[in-house]
Amino acid sequence: MGREDDETTFEDDALDDEDVADDEREALLTIAHGAVVTSGGVSAQRALVSATEFVVARGLGPVAYGVYALAWRIAQLLVRLVTFGSVPTLQRYLPAYDGDPARRSRVAGLAFATTLGVGLLVVAGAWTLAPWIDAATVDDPAFPTAMGLFGTLVPLLGLVMVCAAVFRAVGSARGEVLFNKLLRPAVRLVGASAAVALGYSVVGVAGAILACTVVLVAVGVPATVRATGVRPSLRGVGSEARRFYDHAAPVAMSSLGKVFQNRVDVLLVGALLTAVATGIYNVVLVLVSIAWIPLLSFNQLLPPVASDLYADDRMETLGAVYSSVTRLIVTAVVPILAVQFVFGRELLALFGPTYARGYVPLAVYLGGVFVGSAVGATGWLLMMTDHQYARMALDWLLAASNVALTYLFVRELGLAGAALGTSLAIAVQNSIQVLLLRRFEGLWPFDAAFGKPVAAGAIAGAVMLGVRAMVGGRPAVVLGTIVGLAAYVLSLHLLGVDPRDRLVVRELAGRYRDDVAEAVPF
């Protein structure tokens, strides 16, 4: 009788799999494969970033590291702006222009030229405003030069991002991962480690990172052209520029709004608190960046896939793919959040005892990560369905209110207030964006299956708390993580896995098994 029940269950699951339309199956497998490739790259990226922060934090000490952290975070904010919307625009139009090399070349040429032009303005602004920023924040003699050097770094990083975006737009997750997720943080680690080893302080670290990035750009741009076949050109761009900037300009304004909405915390911590507090908050952001890995991974190839489905008016398929991918994101992010919530103090203390003070901001921030991940690729889908102006308006509406609220939160609550302001901004924006997607395009990701990974995560968290209480210290982190993840997988299995999720896992596992068998014949 048991065997008959097992066979019936298998047949039902197989029937569910067959009910998945071919175009939905193809889209899901494309996005999931991109997520697998990207997750490895993003995990390596986060490891390289964490290693860099560890080296610099240990090598410079809390005060000097705070100066470095503020200059570096400001540079990162500028990197978000320097491409002026070119990266999403490449995702929107390079797939649409498949088969038209001339139009692809013009789009790529506009992206590189725009990034370089805006980057030169950033360099001039960074050197000019650095003394004023220093006087308003950390008031350290090393800051202006470090800020100027990191400002000079911004256009170079923008060019690397455009190279990675070209790979991504043509469907090459490996190329994007190589440039943006591996080489970009690797050269930073090499430069920082060399400077610290030679005894340099903040300015030396900034200069070494800049020098290594110059080499990456000199090699990376020609390599991108050779590998993708997309040769940037400005010949005849007049016919393409209007359409390009009609998409890029509102996206750029959205990015500027998001700086004030999601990254004003960095500026306010530097302005209202101490250099040490700035360093602590920077380490918090390093851990938070790890929690964003699932969302970033699944969003790797979702934009070009969504653009293709939208262009062909296959909205039912796009809705099904959006729901399935979002559920996979939630399934992947919940155990990461559980580990960081339970063992956050121990993880922060790895950078030094001072940084354990960042646990409360970390815990608050994780709430925003959960909401942002639980709604999936709302921002990308708004842009890929030509609602970039709606997103721009929302970004600026929430940015204005967030600046005021975060200022009050930081003044009253310190570091925890900075995390609270940003976490609320993330939660509010993503909640509104998912409602806009439903209103404009009828896209809605949620169903009853979303509660299963959340319940499994609660069970895993309880198990990890028990291990932490019994063992304690750093050994509890390793043991608790292993036991907790095992509890999560077991709980998820008992609660039931969606047939589409099983389809993705089975198909990709079979593909990778075949790839391994071909590469390593027995």
Side-chain angles (χ1 to χ4, degrees), residues 26-289:
E26 180 182 356
L28 277 175
L29 293 177
T30 298
I31 294 169
H33 172 62
V36 172
V37 174
T38 304
S39 63
V42 174
S43 298
Q45 177 198 39
R46 297 305 190 243
L48 291 168
V49 169
S50 299
T52 303
E53 300 300 335
F54 178 83
V55 168
V56 179
R58 290 282 189 175
L60 297 183
V63 176
Y65 176 70
V67 174
Y68 159 87
L70 179 60
W72 173 248
R73 286 295 171 181
I74 293 174
Q76 285 191 305
L77 300 184
L78 297 172
V79 168
R80 294 170 64 96
L81 307 176
V82 71
T83 63
F84 196 75
S86 295
V87 169
T89 305
L90 286 169
Q91 311 309 304
R92 178 67 181 89
Y93 291 126
L94 283 188
Y97 296 160
D98 188 19
D100 191 342
R103 295 191 77 178
R104 281 187 155 199
S105 295
R106 288 194 291 269
V107 170
L110 283 167
F112 277 104
T114 300
T115 300
L116 188 58
V118 176
L120 293 175
L121 295 176
V122 169
V123 173
W127 284 100
T128 302
L129 297 177
W132 177 82
I133 298 172
D134 177 54
T137 56
V138 292
D139 194 20
D140 188 283
F143 180 86
T145 304
M147 184 68 256
L149 290 172
F150 278 140
T152 307
L153 179 68
V154 169
L156 299 174
L157 294 178
L159 293 175
V160 174
M161 290 171 62
V162 172
C163 289
V166 172
F167 277 105
R168 183 178 182 182
V170 300
S172 174
R174 288 186 178 90
E176 199 277 344
V177 166
L178 176 64
F179 274 95
N180 211 25
K181 305 297 189 296
L182 297 180
L183 293 178
R184 178 179 161 189
V187 297
R188 179 174 166 235
L189 175 59
V190 170
S193 299
V196 170
L198 293 172
Y200 291 110
S201 189
V202 178
V203 173
V205 170
I209 293 173
L210 175 62
C212 290
T213 308
V214 169
V215 176
L216 175 60
V217 172
V219 174
V221 173
T224 301
V225 174
R226 288 195 301 270
T228 64
V230 178
R231 185 175 298 276
S233 174
L234 295 178
R235 183 176 300 173
V237 294
S239 61
E240 200 67 51
R242 181 173 180 179
R243 189 175 190 183
F244 181 93
Y245 289 115
D246 184 57
H247 195 278
V251 171
M253 294 303 294
S254 292
S255 298
L256 181 58
K258 287 185 73 65
V259 167
F260 289 101
Q261 184 185 341
N262 294 343
R263 284 293 176 262
V264 72
D265 52 349
V266 176
L267 303 177
L268 290 175
V269 167
L272 300 178
L273 303 179
T274 64
V276 173
T278 304
I280 293 172
Y281 198 69
N282 191 63
V283 171
V284 169
L285 295 180
V286 170
L287 292 186
V288 167
S289 69

